[in-house]
Amino acid sequence: MGSKRRRRHIRSKYKNAVSYVISVFVMLCITVSFWGVTIKTGLLNTGIVEKSLVSSGYYEEKAESLTANLKNMFKDSGISEDVSEGIITDRMIVLDTNNYISSTINNEAPEYDTEGLKTSLIEHINSYLASKGVTADDKLAEYVELLSDKAVADYESNIKFPFISYFMESVNNYKGAANMLIIIPIPLLLVCLIVLILMHRMKYRGIRYFGYGVCAASILEIITSLLMKRSFMSIAAGKEGAYFEFVGNYISGAMRQGIYSALAGFMIFGIIIIVTYYCRKKAI
Amino acid sequence: MGHKEQRIFRYIWIPLSIAAIGLVLYFIAGRVFAGNIAAQISYVAVQGEPRNVSSNGIEFSEVSEGNVDEAEIIMPSAGEQYGEIRCDAFSEAVPLYYGDTDDVIGDGTGENPGKGAGQSLLSGLPGQGKTILVGAHDTTYFGQLKDVHAGDSIVLACTYGTFEYTVSKIDIIDGADYTVSDDKEQLVLYTCYPFGEVGKDRTEKIVYICDKVSGPVIGGSEVGQ
């Protein structure tokens, strides 16, 4: 009788040990899935890029730098720098940058309203010349047109947002891998859950061990997201300018998806606790 | 152990212990994965940095044939921009500097992106009938070379003339030694290879050898034409 009880005790200890090992495996599978979700909905998400551009003040800085180019051009031509004020607006930068981004995403050539910009330039220069009492003849009109063409060409080459081309290249290269990271652990998790349930006479105990894995994965996801965010932020650390502020905001926004995944994991763990509680009550 | 202590043990300590095992595994193996992601983000961020491409007051000559008197050319001094490299495959022209110090080409990590591509002081200038050796980091200005193929046209717009070359050969060499030829005018563009693998220790270079198609000759020399 004593040896029977000892055998049952050893079998029970063995069952618990195996259950804990399966819990660790469940934790690893779910963490890998969470990383896949973070990559797909965070790092490879164009929505986060667009939001980060707005929050970083990139458009305002771009408008200032393009206006500065225009001022230099006018200065070289003997025109007052004040003439460049109000030609390049924040709204123009937002529209054209977003145009460039969506064209790149759709693999199309971007189109800008350069006619509008050129007309505005010519009007500003002509009114400046008129205020100085200068009458525009054909030669002067030709020079103003050439200057406007040069300013438009400078605007077109500097409005580009090359980040999006390299970003889309990464999206095309890695979205398949991110999908694999999300999908492949799912059948493994189902197998683990079935094994845990079949192993235990009280089925809710099997589900509880599964829950330990879910909770541990959520904790691990929060820690690793914060660690990875700290390591990624060094790319933009100490660098000035709206572009690097944008890179920092993009990284923060992307890694926040990992935190959201972890919160979803905690919610699932909460449901598991409730289910096991009621199952235990029913069993008693 | 009472019921309360049992529950605390079950729902807090066990998941924390399993998470601790996961954290150890992350530090052993997961950081490699994180390192690769960091390298990719760094590559995209550095390559994607918008550069304010203004003419810097440099006028490029459109002379593309004939002879140019050496006395009429203002030879560039080390560290000075004297041209730009244009190609249909490039999204933006690359400023061309005389000299290839870190001040010109940067350090390739994004902390110092540099000012453009740098020509080796040991090589010749366009039009001199010698090899023109130009390099830049793949994480900054020469990442665009990835889209250049054999047969593509490369244009060097310089202060004294415009030169056109055709990519005749693309080679991958180990190390940084390249023999400069004094017999024939060729444009050689080189950068680190494989492209964008910033996290790895790279010793290979990718070399684009381009034959001269058109452009003035300095001093009336027929060598290399």
Side-chain angles (χ1 to χ4, degrees), chain A residues 90-243:
Chain A
D90 291 355
R91 187 171 176 273
M92 195 189 286
I93 303 294
V94 170
L95 283 172
D96 286 337
T97 307
N98 287 342
N99 183 7
Y100 182 83
I101 290 171
S102 54
S103 304
T104 308
I105 290 169
N106 298 325
N107 229 4
E108 291 162 2
E111 283 174 22
Y112 310 116
D113 180 22
T114 49
E115 279 310 309
L117 175 60
K118 189 173 167 182
T119 308
S120 175
L121 275 161
I122 292 173
E123 272 171 19
H124 273 70
I125 296 170
N126 283 341
S127 52
Y128 166 76
L129 292 171
S131 73
K132 294 289 174 190
V134 174
T135 328
D137 58 8
D138 286 343
K139 223 174 173 180
L140 187 58
E142 201 183 311
Y143 179 76
V144 168
E145 177 130 358
L146 266 170
L147 185 63
S148 308
D149 284 339
K150 198 175 167 196
V152 164
D154 183 78
Y155 176 86
E156 276 184 342
S157 62
N158 285 304
I159 194 65
K160 289 177 190 168
F161 186 57
F163 176 93
I164 199 65
S165 311
Y166 296 101
F167 174 82
M168 287 312 296
E169 201 184 297
S170 297
V171 168
N172 292 332
N173 289 343
Y174 295 109
K175 71 174 174 208
N179 288 336
M180 288 291 118
L181 286 179
I182 297 169
I183 292 168
I184 286 176
I186 293 173
L188 298 173
L189 288 169
L190 282 169
V191 166
C192 289
L193 182 60
I194 291 167
V195 164
L196 282 169
I197 288 172
L198 291 174
M199 257 175 66
H200 294 272
R201 196 165 55 87
M202 301 284 197
K203 305 298 172 195
Y204 70 87
R205 285 194 181 141
I207 298 172
R208 193 193 288 157
Y209 280 105
F210 188 84
Y212 294 153
V214 172
C215 183
S218 303
I219 296 168
L220 187 61
E221 174 66 12
I222 291 176
I223 297 172
T224 54
S225 291
L226 293 171
L227 285 172
M228 286 201 269
K229 179 183 158 183
R230 201 172 71 130
S231 135
F232 298 163
M233 288 295 264
S234 63
I235 295 163
K239 295 194 183 93
E240 286 178 13
Y243 174 73

Side-chain angles (χ1 to χ4, degrees), chain A residues 69 158 160 169-170 212 243, chain B residues 10 40 45 52-53 91 146:
Chain A
N69 281 1
N158 285 304
K160 289 177 190 168
E169 201 184 297
S170 297
Y212 294 153
Y243 174 73
Chain B
R10 268 193 218 130
Q40 183 63 28
N52 195 16
V53 184
S91 59
K146 203 162 46 145

Side-chain angles (χ1 to χ4, degrees), chain B residues 105-166:
Chain B
I105 65 171
D107 59 13
T109 63
E111 284 199 23
N112 173 18
K115 298 186 274 192
Q119 183 203 331
S120 167
L121 296 177
L122 299 173
S123 65
L125 285 169
Q128 283 185 331
K130 299 177 189 174
T131 301
I132 308 143
L133 200 55
V134 178
H137 290 290
D138 67 308
T139 48
T140 53
Y141 293 91
F142 269 6
Q144 301 180 95
L145 283 177
K146 203 162 46 145
D147 299 321
V148 174
H149 307 289
D152 284 352
S153 173
I154 307 274
V155 171
L156 293 191
C158 303
T159 50
Y160 54 88
T162 295
F163 302 82
E164 189 182 344
Y165 302 84
T166 301

Side-chain angles (χ1 to χ4, degrees), chain A residues 20 23-24 27-28 35 39 43 58 62 69 154 157-158 160 162-163 166-167 169-170 174 181 208 212 215-216 219-220 223-224 227-228 231-232 235 239 243-244 247 251 269 273 276, chain B residues 7 9-11 14-16 18-19 21-23 25-27 30 33-34 37-38 40-55 59 91-92 110-111 143-144 146:
Chain A
Y20 282 126
S23 293
V24 171
M27 178 265 304
L28 290 172
W35 281 354
I39 291 171
L43 292 169
Y58 173 83
K62 191 50 123 180
N69 281 1
D154 183 78
S157 62
N158 285 304
K160 289 177 190 168
F163 176 93
Y166 296 101
F167 174 82
E169 201 184 297
S170 297
Y174 295 109
L181 286 179
R208 193 193 288 157
Y212 294 153
C215 183
I219 296 168
L220 187 61
I223 297 172
T224 54
L227 285 172
M228 286 201 269
S231 135
F232 298 163
I235 295 163
K239 295 194 183 93
Y243 174 73
F244 289 105
V247 170
I251 292 168
F269 178 59
I273 290 176
T276 52
Chain B
R7 270 190 228 124
F9 177 72
R10 268 193 218 130
Y11 297 124
I14 294 177
L16 276 175
I18 297 174
I21 295 170
L23 203 57
L25 290 171
Y26 170 78
F27 280 111
F33 174 76
I37 299 178
Q40 183 63 28
I41 296 173
S42 174
Y43 170 70
V44 171
V46 170
Q47 281 284 44
E49 187 184 351
R51 282 173 248 290
N52 195 16
V53 184
S54 68
S55 65
E59 294 281 336
S91 59
E92 56 187 24
E111 284 199 23
Q144 301 180 95
K146 203 162 46 145

Side-chain angles (χ1 to χ4, degrees), chain A residues 3-125:
Chain A
S3 68
K4 221 181 184 175
R5 200 176 283 171
R6 201 171 48 233
R7 267 206 306 273
R8 216 183 296 156
H9 179 65
I10 289 167
R11 229 191 354 242
S12 168
K13 262 192 159 174
Y14 171 73
K15 224 190 315 186
N16 283 345
V18 170
S19 300
Y20 282 126
V21 169
I22 296 176
S23 293
V24 171
F25 186 72
V26 164
M27 178 265 304
L28 290 172
C29 289
I30 295 177
T31 306
V32 164
S33 232
F34 282 167
W35 281 354
V37 168
T38 305
I39 291 171
K40 186 166 177 183
T41 64
L43 292 169
L44 302 182
N45 187 350
T46 48
I48 291 189
V49 170
E50 283 159 6
K51 276 189 200 139
S52 304
L53 274 172
V54 173
S55 61
S56 64
Y58 173 83
Y59 298 120
E60 290 82 2
E61 195 182 88
K62 191 50 123 180
E64 277 173 27
S65 94
L66 290 175
T67 303
N69 281 1
L70 210 53
K71 279 185 179 158
N72 288 337
M73 222 175 282
F74 284 176
K75 195 173 145 190
D76 291 342
S77 303
I79 297 173
S80 168
E81 290 174 9
D82 296 338
V83 178
S84 63
E85 296 297 334
I87 295 178
I88 294 173
T89 59
D90 291 355
R91 187 171 176 273
M92 195 189 286
I93 303 294
V94 170
L95 283 172
D96 286 337
T97 307
N98 287 342
N99 183 7
Y100 182 83
I101 290 171
S102 54
S103 304
T104 308
I105 290 169
N106 298 325
N107 229 4
E108 291 162 2
E111 283 174 22
Y112 310 116
D113 180 22
T114 49
E115 279 310 309
L117 175 60
K118 189 173 167 182
T119 308
S120 175
L121 275 161
I122 292 173
E123 272 171 19
H124 273 70
I125 296 170

Side-chain angles (χ1 to χ4, degrees), chain B residues 181-203:
Chain B
S181 161
D182 282 353
D183 301 332
K184 187 181 169 187
E185 180 158 336
Q186 280 186 322
L187 170 65
V188 178
L189 306 174
Y190 69 94
T191 190
C192 289
Y193 186 83
F195 287 100
E197 293 193 5
V198 290
K200 299 181 182 167
D201 192 21
R202 297 178 290 175
T203 57

